[in-house]
Amino acid sequence: MNMFNPPHPGAFIKEVFLEPYGISYRTVAAKLKVSPSTFQRLIKQQSNITPEMALRLSKTLGRSPESWLIMQDNYNLWQAKQYLNIDEVEKLAIPV
């Protein structure tokens, strides 16, 4: 299922976990065992979720690691579709 303008995982974390509960990014970074600047870059949508971060987020915030990576992939793919023109990309004809 294609989603229209899916959220960046950092925005999701901010809107679902941090803001409603008044939790600071420093608190979550400490639980994740990453530097506050690393987590802040994620929250500010300046970095992507890696498999390692997906595992950390899964343990700290819940959801499966796969769901965190899928969320990141959905965001990245939608963003790429906004600026990448593939009109001239050709299909490879594979003999049957």
Side-chain angles (χ1 to χ4, degrees):
M1 177 172 97
N2 288 336
M3 183 182 277
F4 177 74
N5 196 7
H8 184 279
F12 176 82
I13 292 168
K14 185 177 180 182
E15 292 172 15
V16 173
F17 295 100
L18 302 184
E19 289 176 347
Y21 300 105
I23 301 170
S24 75
Y25 74 91
R26 289 182 175 276
T27 299
V28 179
K31 300 288 184 189
L32 291 168
K33 304 298 184 212
V34 299
S35 71
S37 63
T38 296
F39 188 63
Q40 187 177 41
R41 280 192 303 277
L42 177 62
I43 297 306
K44 289 185 171 186
Q45 303 173 43
Q46 297 170 341
S47 67
N48 292 332
I49 289 182
T50 63
E52 293 83 3
M53 181 60 83
L55 290 167
R56 293 171 187 269
L57 289 169
S58 179
K59 182 158 185 185
T60 300
L61 299 177
R63 303 175 54 103
S64 70
E66 294 83 3
S67 72
W68 289 111
L69 292 172
I70 289 168
M71 186 183 296
Q72 184 68 61
D73 283 346
N74 287 338
Y75 174 82
N76 292 346
L77 183 58
W78 192 87
Q79 292 296 318
K81 286 179 178 180
Q82 303 315 299
Y83 68 84
L84 183 63
N85 182 348
I86 59 169
D87 289 344
E88 295 191 21
V89 174
E90 299 177 35
K91 184 172 182 174
L92 178 63
I94 299 175
V96 182

